[in-house]
Amino acid sequence: MTAGNGRRDGSPYAPHTDADEAAMLDAVGVESAESLFDIPEDVRFDGEFGIDATDERDLRESIANLFARNEELTEFLGRGHHAHYVPALVDDLSRRSEFLTSYTQYQPEIAQGFLQALFEYQSMLVELTGLPVANCSMYDAATALAEAALLANRLRRGASGHRVLVPEHLQEGRLGVLENYLDGADMEIGNYPMDDGAVDLDALSDLVDDETVMVYAESPTVRGVIEENLSEIGDLAHENDALFCLGSDVVALALLEEPASVGADVVVGEADALGLGTSYGMGLGIFATREKFLRQVPGRLVGASEDAEDMRAFTLTLQTREQHIRKERATSNICTNQAWVALRTAMHIAWLGPDRLVNLATRAVTDARDLAARLDDISGLQAPVYDRHHFREFVVHTDQPAPAIANDLAGRGFAVHTLDDHHLQVCITDVNADAADRLVAAFEEVA
Amino acid sequence: MNFDQARFSRDDHYEPLLSEKDSTTVEVDDDGVLPDDLTRDELTLPGLSEPQLARHYTRLSQMNYSVELGPYPLGSCTMKYNPSFTEDVAADPNAAVHPDRSDRTIQGTLGLLHDLQEQLAEIGGMDAVTLQPPAGAAGEFTGILIAKAYHEARGDDRSEIIIPASAHGTNFASAALAGYDVVELPSDEDGRVDIEALDAAISEETAALMLTNPNTLGLFERDILEISEMVHDAGGLLYYDGANFNALLGRARPGDMGFDIMHYNVHKTFATPHGGGGPGAGPVGVVEELAEYLPSPMVQETAAGYELTEPESSIGKVHGFGGNWLVLVKAYAYIARLGDSGLSDASAKAVLNANYLASQLDLEVPYGPFHHEFAATSGDRDAADVAKRMLDYGVHPPTTKWPELVSQAMLTEPTEVEDKASLDDLAHAFNAAYADSDEALETAPTKTSARRIDQVSAARNPRLSWQALGDDE
Amino acid sequence: MFEIPDDRKYLESHEWTTTDGDTVKIGISDFAQDELGDVVFVELPDEGDEITAGDEFGVVESIKAVSDLYAPISGTVVAVNEDLFDAPELVNEDPYGDGWMLELEPSSSDEFDDLLSPEEYREQTE
């Protein structure tokens, strides 16, 4: 097999000609590149990985064939990973190699473009959350939540306890990540119950105490419920000197109450709902907070400054919070983040503009309401299970076993969530809305 | 080579912010879809047309340096060429599936993940690999959680992680995040692990030693088997930071050196694009004895096909879902494209390039023999200033002032993708900047979109959003 | 080459302290501010806080470095230099004057004797 470009076996992306290689070896003063490896014999690897090099065209075909083994289902899926239509502009411009193949902006003078785009992303989140500080990304909503809890704990070092209160309905991945991040800080997680899909205020009130460092609530919840008592939840947290952390997503924030106005100290959540599309759970974590917690913020921040010609210019700033300077005392271990996803999300928000973004968010309410009503009309289904306002998704009660119904729907080309023996969850966005009639018809056959 | 970076400017700023091009306020939910008290009143964002946005972002892209524009020899960052075809492969609409799909309906996705798990295990000499960690630091954290779970399962409570002083900052932060105390290890006079100091540092409190090999000076830890024995005799585990793995492909495997846990930086070694700071992916490999602690889920091949399974004593989750899927696809495509011969050649050329570049420099390189990267010193010139001046020659400078073992360090990693002519350009930039006048260094850069940026002003008076810019005016 | 006034005492970690009999003032030395470079942020305790000799009482940051501040003397904080929050550059410009950080009411007078004299501190920085 040739490596391509008419050269011998080797990396198709190492451009050395034989003559160049000889000249370079000569300059270094060795016979072969092999002799440059200072690896003792007893740890040398002489085996094979057993991976055959493949021509680009063959490889593309074989990977396409592999992906073709995925069944083509129309997904009515959400629960922490949402897809909206991503305009071509986002793919086209975010894939420009100047963006895609650049590194973290440690030399800001030569990286103004990306820095400005990230500054704009931060600014959009400031507008959406009402909080003055937003970082330029966390990995996903789950790790952003965990980082918020750690921030709350750092602020309350003197507190008698270190408990974070989270809703009974929390996406499994978020809970799992939170458990792992809190373990090292000797923190604990408490669950508060939900009442008809929303926060049970009385129960929460009994649970919040001086051992609580943070109360976390979501709107919309993982089950799609729009929380109606955010201010009261914030008050409960604050009365006990705990932080109020609100989980949301970038589309919902355009419609629902502004987090700052309901007392949120930190906003976390999913920004990848815009810009990324369905990507097997890959994310972009929102992290926004108050000015007074600035020095405790995890991750990178882009700030404005001036250059030597007094022109406004952008740079990574307040880096003493970060691991490359503060090491084990850093606010987080994060280094590589989701910058390119943040670029895409900013492009998508800009493409929508405020009108279309608000319309998209409003449709998430009306489409879910309409679809739930249509399913509720089908014998054997009740939807939505919770008598609340919903955003994108809602829970459906099934008289017949839910797993069997989900299976039958898959047979008819649809994917929905199965929550338990008699509950399904359905999520509708602009991506699958045109298939809603067919989904309803399929439900009529299988419910 | 002459270089002038694109520079769009107007008045006292460069390309205007989106908010300066338009700011539109809309009333939210005036149709009353939701009760008033559940919605915000208004929203203010730029409302621009697609052509305006296309121009905005294209201009921004032109004010941004990248691997496809020129050499980017940041030490320990492995800025290699990102093959174009991998982007197309990752954009396959059949690959765009939701993570909650049932296993049997996404056999293609699971098949790719399974094969990547296996291939990474083979390349690292490990027995099992998780793909879930979304970055190198997340991989470190995952690996340390696995070590913790292993010790705890044996009723062996240990409190310390040993880390060489020259290690990446993430090592320290990840160990602390997992709740460990960090014991910092000095280097010996050759720039490697000081065996005596290690002996003194190891105790029954040692949960693990984290090592980068070759280390951050590009030096192979020749005593690795002895180090491994010392750590293991004390009941500790050995952790491999994969940031410098591009030096060793096909020549040495962490598993064969005695490492129990490792992370792979696929955005370094396996050529997935850095995207201006991320996303990356930090898969973690472990030896058989630790496989039961890996995060959940893993992809397993069964008679019925590929299935997601939970390891017996899993540490649980380190990402809300399965990590950075698109990045993993690109890494898979890169590995399959190169195969054994290509991966091995990549390392050979990476090491040759670093050695050739160093041979062309007027700067001293105090430690060797090095592999894919080296720490040159700019001596009595300020490394940060030399770096700024290098920008004017159309190259990206190396990592500066790190590791601290070398004063005025310029940690340089050209990677295998530079040809001789490009390395000669790079050497010229180094040498010319190094020899330049103090004035030239202090006023550099002058060919970039922006001139030297005031870091002190940015930090003393943080302006972190366009909303904050108005505060001064 | 660095200014080390004779009217005060020093810590190995580069804090200075001076007393007028009732209270003591604390800051960092000329040498320390030069090592740090441009100071961009200072974090200090609140008035009324108790601090203990040898313990960290605050943080001073430049662009690329963070330094803990250690208390030379135990006592109660009676004044904090709030000017530093808006103008941290005072630490660079006038480390022994306008760049002072804390004023304490000491809980013991003995601790003052354990500190480095200007001569001893000068030797350390050379």
Side-chain angles (χ1 to χ4, degrees):
Chain A
M1 170 141 332
T2 62
N5 310 329
R7 292 179 308 102
R8 298 188 312 275
D9 272 6
S11 168
Y13 312 116
H16 307 63
T17 63
D18 287 348
D20 280 350
E21 190 175 340
M24 291 165 70
L25 288 168
D26 195 44
V28 176
V30 293
E31 292 288 314
S32 70
E34 220 50 52
S35 63
L36 294 168
F37 288 88
D38 180 38
I39 304 175
E41 275 307 314
D42 50 10
V43 291
R44 283 253 178 185
F45 174 66
D46 293 321
E48 297 270 321
F49 303 142
I51 306 167
D52 291 331
T54 317
D55 284 334
E56 182 178 306
R57 183 177 169 180
D58 294 346
L59 184 54
R60 288 183 68 173
E61 191 174 317
S62 74
I63 297 177
N65 288 341
L66 184 62
F67 287 147
R69 293 182 59 196
N70 287 342
E71 288 178 27
E72 269 188 57
L73 300 183
T74 302
E75 297 177 342
F76 283 83
L77 300 172
R79 291 186 65 81
H81 186 64
H82 300 97
H84 290 276
Y85 170 71
V86 179
L89 172 119
V90 171
D91 278 328
D92 198 25
L93 292 172
S94 72
R95 281 177 62 175
R96 284 187 67 95
S97 65
E98 298 92 330
F99 288 133
L100 188 65
T101 77
S102 64
Y103 195 71
T104 307
Q105 300 76 23
Y106 290 132
Q107 296 290 348
E109 294 84 2
I110 206 165
Q112 283 299 295
F114 217 125
L115 285 164
Q116 181 169 335
L118 291 174
F119 183 85
E120 290 171 347
Y121 165 81
Q122 290 176 180
S123 305
M124 290 168 176
L125 283 178
V126 166
E127 174 61 27
L128 287 164
T129 61
L131 292 169
V133 178
N135 79 6
C136 72
S137 68
M138 303 264 77
Y139 305 131
D140 67 350
T143 53
L145 166 60
E147 295 277 11
L150 292 172
L151 177 145
N153 195 50
R154 286 195 296 275
L155 294 171
R156 284 285 305 279
R157 242 183 219 122
S160 56
H162 303 275
R163 188 180 304 124
V164 172
L165 291 176
V166 301
E168 166 193 12
H169 298 159
L170 186 61
Q171 193 257 344
E172 304 73 18
R174 291 182 189 175
L175 181 61
V177 168
L178 188 64
E179 286 169 348
N180 271 330
Y181 272 68
L182 298 202
D183 183 54
D186 293 324
M187 295 172 67
E188 54 181 80
I189 300 170
N191 275 287
Y192 60 82
M194 305 295 270
D195 173 23
D196 195 27
V199 175
D200 181 336
L201 275 180
D202 291 337
L204 178 62
S205 167
D206 290 342
L207 286 166
V208 190
D209 58 19
D210 60 2
E211 300 196 345
T212 308
V213 295
M214 186 175 99
V215 175
Y216 176 65
E218 296 183 334
S219 184
T221 68
V222 66
R223 298 187 172 193
V225 172
I226 296 171
E227 181 58 55
E228 292 169 21
N229 297 307
L230 290 174
S231 295
E232 289 80 357
I233 298 166
D235 289 345
L236 277 178
H238 294 149
E239 282 160 16
N240 289 275
D241 286 332
L243 294 196
F244 173 32
C245 177
L246 175 63
S248 191
D249 76 70
V250 68
V251 181
L253 286 170
L255 174 68
L256 303 183
E257 289 171 279
E258 186 189 71
S261 72
V262 296
D265 299 292
V266 187
V267 174
V268 298
E270 214 193 316
D272 51 288
L274 295 179
L276 196 56
T278 313
S279 48
Y280 199 59
M282 182 162 162
L284 169 61
I286 296 170
F287 196 100
T289 190
R290 296 181 184 282
E291 183 101 42
K292 64 178 170 180
F293 306 143
L294 177 58
R295 303 275 161 179
Q296 292 296 332
V297 169
R300 295 179 184 140
L301 292 166
V302 178
S305 186
E306 303 77 36
D307 71 7
E309 291 180 355
D310 277 334
M311 299 285 279
R312 180 184 68 205
F314 302 97
T315 180
L316 293 176
T317 192
L318 304 173
Q319 293 185 63
T320 47
R321 298 167 296 108
E322 295 183 64
Q323 45 72 33
H324 61 284
I325 293 177
R326 224 181 194 114
K327 297 166 88 170
E328 65 267 31
R329 295 172 62 189
T331 53
S332 167
N333 70 332
I334 192 169
C335 180
T336 294
N337 58 15
Q338 303 287 110
W340 184 68
V341 186
L343 169 73
R344 292 177 59 101
T345 298
M347 286 175 172
H348 194 166
I349 293 171
W351 183 82
L352 287 166
D355 258 319
R356 284 192 294 180
L357 178 56
V358 171
N359 285 344
L360 186 69
T362 309
R363 260 194 75 185
V365 175
T366 53
D367 283 359
R369 186 179 289 165
D370 294 347
L371 181 58
R374 293 176 70 186
L375 295 182
D376 195 53
D377 285 342
I378 297 170
S379 163
L381 300 181
Q382 294 89 48
V385 164
Y386 304 120
D387 184 21
R388 305 279 183 186
H389 298 288
H390 288 78
F391 194 87
R392 284 200 202 98
E393 54 202 317
F394 53 89
V395 177
V396 183
H397 181 273
T398 64
D399 293 347
Q400 299 299 315
I405 293 176
N407 204 40
D408 290 346
L409 287 172
R412 284 162 174 76
F414 300 99
V416 298
H417 297 283
T418 306
L419 298 189
D420 57 38
D421 288 350
H422 289 282
H423 291 96
L424 300 172
Q425 189 168 327
V426 177
C427 177
I428 181 165
T429 72
D430 55 333
V431 172
N432 59 19
D434 61 347
D437 289 348
R438 290 189 288 116
L439 179 74
V440 171
F443 260 112
E444 279 167 349
E445 290 170 31
V446 304
Chain B
M1 187 178 67
N2 295 314
F3 168 77
D4 282 288
Q5 193 176 24
R7 182 176 214 232
F8 299 91
S9 68
R10 173 168 307 190
D11 305 327
D12 63 348
H13 55 262
Y14 298 107
E15 175 67 5
L17 290 160
L18 288 171
S19 58
E20 291 165 336
K21 296 184 174 185
D22 182 74
S23 180
T24 298
T25 299
V26 298
E27 302 286 315
V28 172
D29 194 28
D30 41 8
D31 295 339
V33 163
L34 287 172
D36 258 359
D37 59 352
L38 293 189
T39 59
R40 58 191 298 147
D41 297 333
E42 54 183 38
L43 182 69
T44 303
L45 284 171
L48 294 162
S49 67
E50 183 163 324
Q52 290 169 306
L53 288 175
R55 190 159 292 162
H56 179 74
Y57 283 108
T58 301
R59 286 181 173 187
L60 292 188
S61 78
Q62 295 208 342
M63 297 203 295
N64 214 64
Y65 191 79
S66 69
V67 170
E68 290 199 9
L69 278 168
Y72 217 129
L74 280 169
S76 278
C77 299
T78 316
M79 291 297 287
K80 56 166 89 175
Y81 172 70
N82 314 124
S84 288
F85 87 98
T86 62
E87 289 303 314
D88 289 332
V89 167
D92 189 324
N94 288 325
V97 298
H98 190 284
D100 287 354
R101 287 272 295 264
S102 65
D103 296 355
R104 67 176 172 74
T105 69
I106 52 166
Q107 288 293 296
T109 297
L110 298 184
L112 182 141
L113 292 172
H114 175 266
D115 287 357
L116 184 57
Q117 286 177 187
E118 301 276 302
Q119 287 172 353
L120 289 176
E122 189 62 34
I123 292 168
M126 292 283 148
D127 293 313
V129 169
T130 172
L131 304 174
Q132 194 177 116
E140 293 169 13
F141 178 54
T142 304
I144 297 303
L145 287 177
I146 290 169
K148 192 175 185 180
Y150 161 82
H151 289 304
E152 281 175 359
R154 294 153 52 98
D156 191 0
D157 214 6
R158 290 170 177 250
S159 62
E160 294 174 354
I161 303 277
I162 304 175
I163 304 171
S166 61
H168 305 107
T170 49
N171 286 188
F172 303 88
S174 298
L177 179 56
Y180 283 101
D181 295 329
V182 173
V183 178
E184 208 170 287
L185 197 62
S187 304
D188 69 7
E189 57 186 18
D190 294 330
R192 296 184 178 79
V193 168
D194 184 327
I195 298 289
E196 273 180 36
L198 176 62
D199 193 46
I202 290 177
S203 74
E204 60 200 15
E205 290 299 324
T206 305
L209 166 66
M210 297 179 85
L211 272 190
T212 308
N213 194 18
N215 66 21
T216 57
L217 297 171
L219 313 178
F220 194 89
E221 297 288 354
R222 293 197 200 103
D223 300 325
I224 187 60
L225 291 181
E226 186 186 347
I227 292 169
S228 162
E229 203 179 322
M230 289 166 70
V231 173
H232 289 135
D233 281 354
L237 297 173
L238 198 55
Y239 183 95
Y240 182 87
D241 177 331
N244 287 350
F245 196 31
N246 202 43
L248 299 185
L249 295 172
R251 285 177 187 74
R253 305 190 304 173
D256 302 333
M257 299 176 212
F259 286 94
D260 306 291
I261 310 171
M262 72 174 289
H263 80 262
Y264 307 76
N265 294 86
V266 308
H267 45 292
K268 301 182 182 186
T269 314
F270 303 114
T272 68
H274 280 73
V284 168
V286 295
V287 295
E288 183 140 29
E289 200 179 354
L290 300 176
E292 64 180 286
Y293 303 107
L294 284 167
S296 176
M298 297 283 293
V299 185
Q300 207 167 48
E301 188 173 14
T302 70
Y306 298 106
E307 285 177 7
L308 292 175
T309 60
E310 177 166 357
E312 195 185 336
S313 316
S314 174
I315 59 164
K317 301 284 293 179
V318 294
H319 182 273
F321 295 101
N324 279 331
W325 159 253
L326 293 175
V327 180
L328 297 169
V329 175
K330 295 174 201 178
Y332 173 87
Y334 178 79
I335 292 169
R337 175 80 179 92
L338 268 68
D340 278 63
S341 59
L343 292 170
S344 168
D345 184 55
S347 278
K349 297 290 167 37
V351 173
L352 174 61
N353 277 5
N355 278 271
Y356 173 73
L357 177 61
S359 78
Q360 303 302 300
L361 297 190
D362 299 335
L363 292 78
E364 189 199 345
V365 180
Y367 294 97
F370 50 82
H371 291 80
H372 68 307
E373 69 181 357
F374 59 86
T377 172
S378 59
D380 55 0
R381 313 305 304 274
D382 186 281
D385 285 344
V386 175
K388 292 294 182 207
R389 184 67 177 133
M390 285 179 73
L391 293 170
D392 287 335
Y393 293 89
V395 302
H396 198 283
T399 303
T400 57
K401 301 196 175 181
W402 190 84
E404 285 154 8
L405 196 59
V406 173
S407 79
Q408 302 298 340
M410 304 193 77
L411 185 68
T412 311
E413 180 184 2
T415 84
E416 69 273 17
V417 306
E418 305 305 328
D419 61 16
K420 180 172 173 296
S422 156
L423 293 169
D424 289 338
D425 281 345
L426 195 49
H428 172 71
F430 259 105
N431 295 335
Y434 179 56
D436 241 326
S437 68
D438 286 344
E439 195 198 344
L441 259 54
E442 279 159 22
T443 54
T446 61
K447 306 279 197 175
T448 46
S449 308
R451 303 301 185 246
R452 185 85 67 107
I453 294 169
D454 187 346
Q455 298 293 330
V456 174
S457 161
R460 279 186 183 156
N461 177 20
R463 288 147 283 171
L464 306 175
S465 64
W466 63 50
Q467 293 86 345
L469 293 178
D471 294 354
D472 290 346
E473 287 155 17
Chain C
M1 75 190 245
F2 293 104
E3 200 189 337
I4 301 178
D6 287 334
D7 64 348
R8 55 199 81 199
K9 291 201 151 193
Y10 299 84
L11 267 188
E12 280 175 29
S13 49
H14 307 290
E15 292 79 5
W16 56 256
T17 177
T18 177
T19 180
D20 63 1
D22 293 334
T23 61
V24 299
K25 266 192 176 175
I26 295 171
I28 65 169
S29 71
D30 188 28
F31 176 85
Q33 69 79 19
D34 186 75
E35 283 283 295
L36 273 167
D38 293 316
V39 172
V40 298
F41 177 68
V42 180
E43 185 180 297
L44 298 173
D46 295 324
E47 272 178 44
D49 286 0
E50 301 281 338
I51 66 173
T52 308
D55 284 2
E56 297 157 21
F57 71 81
V59 169
V60 57
E61 287 186 18
S62 63
I63 295 298
K64 301 277 176 170
V66 183
S67 217
D68 290 319
L69 297 165
Y70 294 93
I73 302 273
S74 305
T76 308
V77 179
V78 293
V80 172
N81 186 357
E82 290 176 1
D83 292 347
L84 299 185
F85 301 143
D86 288 328
E89 59 271 23
L90 291 173
V91 176
N92 296 111
E93 291 164 4
D94 191 9
Y96 298 112
D98 291 344
W100 68 277
M101 291 172 174
L102 292 187
E103 198 170 330
L104 287 189
E105 192 169 282
S107 47
S108 141
S109 55
D110 305 343
E111 286 168 356
F112 211 72
D113 300 333
D114 301 336
L115 302 171
L116 300 179
S117 68
E119 296 73 31
E120 289 167 324
Y121 181 65
R122 190 170 292 118
E123 274 172 39
Q124 185 199 310
T125 58
E126 273 163 7

